[in-house]
Amino acid sequence: MSRAAKPAQPRADGWDAVYRRLAGADSGLLSVAELEALAEAAFWLGKPRESIAARQRAYAAHRDAGDLVSAAKTAWLLFHNYFDLNETAAASGWLKRAHRHADAIPGQAVSGYVALADAEWAAHRDDLDRALECAVQATETGRRFADLDLAGLGLATQGRILITRGDIPEGLDRLDEALVAVLSDELSPFATGWVYCLLLYTCEELGDVRRAAEWTDLAVLWCERHGQESWYPGLCRLHQCEVRSWRGEWTVAEAQAVRAAEELAPFGDYLVAEGQYLAGEIRRRKGDFEAAEEAFRQAHRYGRDPQPGLALL
């Protein structure tokens, strides 16, 4: 996905028009380009299962046509679709398919995207040395092929992994460099949203209020221009209410956490759980203990460990 080769990225209302045009059509009559457009539209409009279904049909078309580059890239996207839904068994299967296609065509930029997925998978399994090695490989591949999305995502992933390993100054340097690509409008909306998420989650974990506040404000402004109907506004709102809770703006932060949980419901229970857990933390700090306990129990019901909030309560 080099900058020159990126497809057009409609605004949210543009994706809505694409979805209305393609969703009702006979899927057997859609071209592979139309299947990919339908998958993108469904993703941005908060319909992850429909996005996966369309993307799987596009993958089969690429594979059957012998287009291994496109098949590998689509398998990579499906890895992330399932990984984002916390369905790791399916994600692992698609990662293996992406590897099989990329290994058959060495010397292509798509190998960097597979390395990026390898980095996330290794980090998920707490193999941080392997994760960093793969993230560096992804970044270098992106630079070699002038693929700005891949280079930016690789940098951000490196930053996240370095900080998890305890190399905080070096990790923040990587994240700041990735943010430059975002602010320069060098990345696609998909990659931009991904980088923002990595930046904000990491800052919150570090308790870096200044960076978190600055980057959250930038992310909210970006959401006003892209993806109003996607999961990004809900994710940005979660980050924003976390920052506001640090500042003592508890009433506004609580309302935002509940709203974000509702907005994120189509994208997976684990995201609803994050919103409920955050609402519980805010209520605990306010002294609204009964409501806090209910929120923590809701978070647990949706699959999140309610600790340490419930124990502190």
Coordinates of all heavy atoms in Angstrom, one line a residue, residues 189-247:
P189 N -6.2 6.5 5.9 CA -7.0 6.6 7.2 C -6.9 5.3 8.0 O -6.8 5.4 9.2 CB -8.4 6.8 6.6 CG -8.2 7.5 5.4 CD -6.9 6.9 4.8
F190 N -6.8 4.1 7.4 CA -6.7 2.9 8.1 C -5.4 2.9 9.0 O -5.4 2.6 10.2 CB -6.7 1.7 7.2 CG -6.4 0.4 7.8 CD1 -7.5 -0.3 8.5 CD2 -5.2 -0.3 7.8 CE1 -7.3 -1.5 9.1 CE2 -5.0 -1.5 8.3 CZ -6.0 -2.1 9.0
A191 N -4.3 3.2 8.4 CA -3.0 3.2 9.1 C -3.0 4.4 10.1 O -2.4 4.2 11.2 CB -1.8 3.4 8.1
T192 N -3.6 5.5 9.8 CA -3.6 6.6 10.7 C -4.3 6.2 12.0 O -3.8 6.5 13.1 CB -4.3 7.8 10.1 OG1 -3.5 8.3 8.9 CG2 -4.4 9.0 11.0
G193 N -5.5 5.6 11.9 CA -6.2 5.2 13.0 C -5.5 4.2 13.9 O -5.5 4.3 15.1
W194 N -4.8 3.3 13.2 CA -4.0 2.3 13.9 C -2.9 3.0 14.7 O -2.7 2.6 15.9 CB -3.5 1.3 12.9 CG -2.7 0.1 13.4 CD1 -2.3 -0.1 14.7 CD2 -2.4 -1.0 12.6 NE1 -1.7 -1.3 14.7 CE2 -1.7 -1.9 13.5 CE3 -2.6 -1.4 11.3 CZ2 -1.2 -3.1 13.0 CZ3 -2.1 -2.6 10.9 CH2 -1.5 -3.5 11.7
V195 N -2.2 3.9 14.1 CA -1.1 4.6 14.8 C -1.6 5.4 16.0 O -1.0 5.3 17.1 CB -0.3 5.5 13.8 CG1 0.7 6.4 14.6 CG2 0.5 4.7 12.8
Y196 N -2.7 6.1 15.8 CA -3.3 6.8 16.9 C -3.6 5.9 18.1 O -3.3 6.2 19.3 CB -4.5 7.6 16.5 CG -4.3 9.0 16.0 CD1 -4.8 9.4 14.8 CD2 -3.5 9.9 16.7 CE1 -4.6 10.7 14.3 CE2 -3.3 11.2 16.3 CZ -3.9 11.6 15.1 OH -3.7 12.8 14.6
C197 N -4.2 4.8 17.8 CA -4.5 3.8 18.9 C -3.3 3.4 19.6 O -3.3 3.3 20.9 CB -5.3 2.6 18.3 SG -7.0 3.0 17.9
L198 N -2.2 3.0 18.9 CA -1.0 2.6 19.6 C -0.4 3.7 20.5 O 0.0 3.5 21.6 CB 0.0 2.1 18.6 CG -0.2 0.8 17.9 CD1 0.9 0.6 16.8 CD2 0.0 -0.3 18.9
L199 N -0.4 4.9 19.9 CA 0.1 6.0 20.7 C -0.7 6.3 22.0 O -0.1 6.4 23.1 CB 0.0 7.3 19.8 CG 0.9 7.4 18.6 CD1 0.5 8.6 17.7 CD2 2.4 7.4 18.9
L200 N -2.0 6.3 21.9 CA -2.8 6.7 23.0 C -2.8 5.6 24.1 O -2.7 5.9 25.3 CB -4.3 7.0 22.5 CG -4.4 8.1 21.6 CD1 -5.8 8.3 21.1 CD2 -3.9 9.4 22.2
Y201 N -2.9 4.3 23.7 CA -2.9 3.2 24.7 C -1.6 3.3 25.4 O -1.5 3.1 26.7 CB -3.0 1.9 24.0 CG -4.5 1.5 23.8 CD1 -5.0 1.2 22.5 CD2 -5.3 1.3 24.9 CE1 -6.3 0.8 22.3 CE2 -6.7 0.9 24.7 CZ -7.1 0.7 23.4 OH -8.4 0.3 23.2
T202 N -0.5 3.5 24.7 CA 0.8 3.5 25.3 C 1.0 4.6 26.3 O 1.5 4.5 27.4 CB 1.9 3.5 24.3 OG1 1.8 2.4 23.4 CG2 3.3 3.5 24.9
C203 N 0.6 5.8 25.9 CA 0.7 7.0 26.8 C -0.1 6.8 28.1 O 0.3 7.2 29.2 CB 0.2 8.3 26.1 SG 1.4 8.9 24.9
E204 N -1.3 6.2 28.0 CA -2.1 6.0 29.1 C -1.5 5.0 30.1 O -1.5 5.2 31.3 CB -3.5 5.5 28.7 CG -4.3 6.7 28.1 CD -5.6 6.2 27.4 OE1 -6.0 5.0 27.6 OE2 -6.2 7.0 26.7
E205 N -0.9 3.9 29.5 CA -0.2 3.0 30.4 C 1.0 3.6 31.1 O 1.2 3.2 32.2 CB 0.2 1.8 29.5 CG -0.9 0.9 29.0 CD -0.4 -0.3 28.2 OE1 0.8 -0.4 28.0 OE2 -1.2 -1.1 27.9
L206 N 1.6 4.5 30.4 CA 2.8 5.2 31.1 C 2.4 6.3 32.0 O 3.2 6.8 32.8 CB 3.7 5.8 30.0 CG 4.4 4.8 29.1 CD1 5.2 5.6 28.0 CD2 5.4 4.0 29.9
G207 N 1.1 6.7 32.0 CA 0.7 7.8 32.8 C 1.2 9.1 32.3 O 1.3 10.1 33.1
D208 N 1.6 9.2 31.0 CA 2.1 10.4 30.4 C 0.9 11.3 30.0 O 0.4 11.3 28.9 CB 2.9 10.1 29.2 CG 3.7 11.2 28.6 OD1 3.3 12.4 28.8 OD2 4.8 11.0 28.0
V209 N 0.5 12.1 31.0 CA -0.7 12.9 30.8 C -0.6 13.9 29.7 O -1.5 14.2 28.9 CB -1.1 13.6 32.1 CG1 -2.4 14.5 31.9 CG2 -1.3 12.6 33.2
R210 N 0.6 14.6 29.6 CA 0.8 15.6 28.6 C 0.7 15.1 27.2 O 0.0 15.6 26.4 CB 2.2 16.3 28.8 CG 2.4 17.4 27.8 CD 3.9 17.9 27.8 NE 4.8 16.8 27.4 CZ 5.1 16.5 26.2 NH1 4.4 17.0 25.2 NH2 5.9 15.5 25.9
R211 N 1.5 14.0 27.0 CA 1.4 13.4 25.6 C 0.0 12.8 25.3 O -0.5 13.0 24.2 CB 2.4 12.2 25.5 CG 3.8 12.6 24.9 CD 4.5 11.3 24.6 NE 5.8 11.6 23.9 CZ 6.9 11.9 24.5 NH1 7.0 11.9 25.8 NH2 8.0 12.2 23.8
A212 N -0.6 12.2 26.3 CA -1.9 11.6 26.1 C -2.9 12.6 25.7 O -3.7 12.5 24.8 CB -2.3 10.8 27.3
A213 N -2.9 13.8 26.4 CA -3.9 14.8 26.2 C -3.6 15.4 24.8 O -4.6 15.7 24.0 CB -3.7 15.9 27.2
E214 N -2.4 15.7 24.5 CA -2.0 16.3 23.2 C -2.5 15.4 22.0 O -3.1 15.8 21.0 CB -0.5 16.6 23.1 CG -0.1 17.2 21.8 CD 1.4 17.4 21.8 OE1 2.1 17.4 22.9 OE2 2.0 17.6 20.7
W215 N -2.1 14.1 22.1 CA -2.4 13.2 21.0 C -3.9 12.8 20.9 O -4.4 12.6 19.9 CB -1.6 11.9 21.2 CG -0.1 12.1 20.9 CD1 0.5 13.2 20.3 CD2 1.0 11.2 21.1 NE1 1.8 13.0 20.2 CE2 2.2 11.8 20.7 CE3 1.0 9.9 21.7 CZ2 3.4 11.2 20.8 CZ3 2.3 9.3 21.8 CH2 3.5 10.0 21.3
T216 N -4.6 12.8 22.1 CA -6.0 12.5 22.1 C -6.7 13.6 21.4 O -7.6 13.4 20.6 CB -6.6 12.4 23.5 OG1 -5.9 11.3 24.1 CG2 -8.1 12.1 23.5
D217 N -6.4 14.9 21.7 CA -7.0 16.0 21.0 C -6.8 15.9 19.5 O -7.7 16.2 18.7 CB -6.5 17.3 21.5 CG -6.9 17.6 22.9 OD1 -7.9 17.0 23.4 OD2 -6.3 18.5 23.6
L218 N -5.6 15.6 19.0 CA -5.3 15.4 17.6 C -6.2 14.3 17.0 O -6.7 14.4 15.9 CB -3.8 15.1 17.4 CG -2.9 16.3 17.7 CD1 -1.4 15.8 17.7 CD2 -3.1 17.4 16.7
A219 N -6.3 13.2 17.8 CA -7.1 12.0 17.3 C -8.5 12.4 17.1 O -9.2 12.0 16.2 CB -6.9 10.8 18.2
V220 N -9.1 13.2 18.1 CA -10.5 13.5 18.0 C -10.7 14.4 16.8 O -11.7 14.3 16.0 CB -10.9 14.2 19.3 CG1 -12.3 14.9 19.1 CG2 -10.9 13.3 20.4
L221 N -9.8 15.3 16.5 CA -9.9 16.2 15.3 C -9.9 15.3 14.0 O -10.6 15.6 13.1 CB -8.8 17.2 15.3 CG -8.8 18.4 16.3 CD1 -7.6 19.2 16.2 CD2 -10.1 19.2 16.0
W222 N -9.0 14.3 14.0 CA -8.9 13.4 12.9 C -10.3 12.7 12.7 O -10.7 12.5 11.6 CB -7.8 12.5 13.0 CG -7.7 11.4 12.0 CD1 -7.3 11.6 10.7 CD2 -8.2 10.1 12.0 NE1 -7.4 10.4 10.0 CE2 -7.9 9.5 10.8 CE3 -8.7 9.3 13.1 CZ2 -8.2 8.1 10.5 CZ3 -9.0 8.0 12.8 CH2 -8.8 7.4 11.5
C223 N -10.9 12.3 13.8 CA -12.1 11.5 13.7 C -13.2 12.4 13.1 O -14.2 11.9 12.5 CB -12.5 11.0 15.1 SG -11.7 9.5 15.6
E224 N -13.1 13.7 13.3 CA -14.1 14.6 12.7 C -14.1 14.6 11.2 O -15.0 14.9 10.5 CB -14.0 16.0 13.3 CG -14.3 16.1 14.8 CD -14.0 17.5 15.3 OE1 -13.5 18.3 14.6 OE2 -14.3 17.7 16.5
R225 N -12.9 14.2 10.6 CA -12.7 14.2 9.2 C -12.9 12.8 8.6 O -13.2 12.7 7.4 CB -11.4 14.8 8.8 CG -11.1 16.2 9.3 CD -9.9 16.8 8.6 NE -8.7 16.0 8.8 CZ -7.9 16.1 9.8 NH1 -8.1 17.0 10.7 NH2 -6.8 15.4 9.9
H226 N -12.6 11.8 9.4 CA -12.7 10.4 8.8 C -13.4 9.5 9.8 O -13.2 9.6 11.0 CB -11.2 9.9 8.6 CG -10.4 10.6 7.6 ND1 -10.6 10.5 6.3 CD2 -9.4 11.6 7.8 CE1 -9.7 11.3 5.7 NE2 -9.0 11.9 6.6
G227 N -14.2 8.6 9.2 CA -14.7 7.5 10.0 C -15.6 7.8 11.1 O -15.6 7.2 12.1
Q228 N -16.5 8.7 10.8 CA -17.5 9.1 11.9 C -18.4 7.9 12.3 O -18.8 7.8 13.4 CB -18.4 10.2 11.4 CG -17.7 11.6 11.5 CD -17.4 12.0 12.9 OE1 -18.2 11.8 13.8 NE2 -16.2 12.6 13.1
E229 N -18.6 7.0 11.4 CA -19.4 5.8 11.7 C -18.6 4.5 12.0 O -19.1 3.5 12.1 CB -20.3 5.5 10.5 CG -21.3 6.7 10.1 CD -22.1 7.1 11.3 OE1 -22.6 6.2 12.0 OE2 -22.4 8.3 11.4
S230 N -17.3 4.7 12.1 CA -16.4 3.6 12.4 C -16.2 3.4 13.8 O -16.7 4.2 14.6 CB -15.1 3.7 11.6 OG -14.2 4.7 12.3
W231 N -15.3 2.5 14.2 CA -15.0 2.3 15.7 C -14.1 3.4 16.2 O -13.9 3.5 17.4 CB -14.5 1.0 16.0 CG -13.2 0.5 15.2 CD1 -12.5 1.2 14.3 CD2 -12.6 -0.7 15.4 NE1 -11.5 0.4 13.9 CE2 -11.5 -0.7 14.6 CE3 -12.8 -1.8 16.2 CZ2 -10.6 -1.8 14.5 CZ3 -12.0 -2.9 16.2 CH2 -10.9 -2.9 15.3
Y232 N -13.4 4.2 15.3 CA -12.4 5.1 15.8 C -13.0 6.2 16.7 O -12.3 6.5 17.7 CB -11.7 5.7 14.6 CG -10.7 4.8 13.9 CD1 -10.8 4.4 12.6 CD2 -9.7 4.2 14.7 CE1 -9.9 3.5 12.0 CE2 -8.8 3.3 14.1 CZ -8.9 3.0 12.8 OH -8.0 2.1 12.2
P233 N -14.2 6.8 16.4 CA -14.7 7.8 17.3 C -14.9 7.2 18.7 O -14.6 7.8 19.7 CB -16.0 8.2 16.7 CG -15.8 8.0 15.3 CD -15.0 6.8 15.2
G234 N -15.4 6.0 18.8 CA -15.6 5.3 20.1 C -14.3 5.1 20.8 O -14.2 5.4 22.0
L235 N -13.3 4.6 20.1 CA -12.0 4.4 20.7 C -11.3 5.7 21.2 O -10.8 5.8 22.3 CB -11.0 3.7 19.7 CG -11.3 2.3 19.4 CD1 -10.4 1.8 18.3 CD2 -11.1 1.4 20.6
C236 N -11.4 6.7 20.3 CA -10.9 8.0 20.7 C -11.6 8.6 21.9 O -11.0 9.2 22.8 CB -11.0 9.0 19.6 SG -9.8 8.7 18.2
R237 N -12.9 8.4 22.0 CA -13.7 8.8 23.2 C -13.2 8.1 24.4 O -13.2 8.7 25.5 CB -15.2 8.7 22.9 CG -16.0 9.4 24.0 CD -17.5 9.4 23.6 NE -17.7 10.4 22.5 CZ -18.0 10.0 21.2 NH1 -18.1 8.8 20.9 NH2 -18.1 10.9 20.3
L238 N -12.9 6.8 24.3 CA -12.4 6.1 25.5 C -11.1 6.8 26.0 O -10.9 7.0 27.2 CB -12.2 4.7 25.2 CG -13.3 3.7 25.2 CD1 -12.9 2.3 24.9 CD2 -14.0 3.7 26.6
H239 N -10.2 7.1 25.1 CA -9.0 7.7 25.4 C -9.2 9.1 26.0 O -8.6 9.5 27.0 CB -8.1 7.8 24.2 CG -7.6 6.5 23.7 ND1 -6.9 5.6 24.4 CD2 -7.7 5.9 22.5 CE1 -6.6 4.5 23.7 NE2 -7.1 4.7 22.5
Q240 N -10.1 9.8 25.4 CA -10.4 11.2 25.9 C -11.0 11.2 27.3 O -10.6 12.0 28.1 CB -11.3 11.9 24.9 CG -11.4 13.4 25.1 CD -12.3 14.1 24.1 OE1 -13.4 13.7 23.8 NE2 -11.7 15.1 23.4
C241 N -11.9 10.2 27.6 CA -12.5 10.2 28.9 C -11.5 9.8 29.9 O -11.5 10.2 31.1 CB -13.8 9.4 28.9 SG -13.6 7.6 28.7
E242 N -10.5 8.9 29.5 CA -9.4 8.5 30.5 C -8.6 9.8 30.9 O -8.3 10.0 32.0 CB -8.5 7.5 29.8 CG -7.3 7.1 30.7 CD -7.7 6.2 31.8 OE1 -8.7 5.5 31.7 OE2 -7.0 6.2 32.8
V243 N -8.3 10.6 29.9 CA -7.5 11.8 30.2 C -8.3 12.8 31.0 O -7.8 13.4 32.0 CB -7.1 12.5 28.8 CG1 -6.5 13.9 29.1 CG2 -6.1 11.7 28.1
R244 N -9.6 12.9 30.7 CA -10.5 13.8 31.5 C -10.6 13.3 33.0 O -10.7 14.1 33.9 CB -11.8 13.9 30.9 CG -11.8 14.8 29.6 CD -13.1 15.0 28.9 NE -13.0 16.1 28.0 CZ -14.0 16.3 27.1 NH1 -15.0 15.6 27.0 NH2 -13.8 17.4 26.3
S245 N -10.7 12.0 33.1 CA -10.8 11.4 34.5 C -9.5 11.8 35.3 O -9.6 12.0 36.5 CB -11.0 9.9 34.5 OG -9.9 9.2 34.1
W246 N -8.3 11.7 34.6 CA -7.1 12.1 35.3 C -7.2 13.6 35.7 O -6.6 13.9 36.8 CB -5.9 12.0 34.3 CG -5.5 10.6 34.0 CD1 -5.9 9.5 34.7 CD2 -4.7 10.2 32.9 NE1 -5.4 8.3 34.1 CE2 -4.6 8.7 33.0 CE3 -4.0 10.8 31.9 CZ2 -3.9 8.0 32.1 CZ3 -3.3 10.1 31.0 CH2 -3.3 8.7 31.1
R247 N -7.9 14.4 35.0 CA -8.0 15.8 35.3 C -9.1 16.1 36.3 O -9.3 17.3 36.7 CB -8.2 16.6 34.0 CG -7.1 16.6 33.1 CD -7.5 17.3 31.8 NE -6.3 17.5 30.9 CZ -6.4 17.9 29.6 NH1 -7.6 18.1 29.1 NH2 -5.3 18.1 28.9

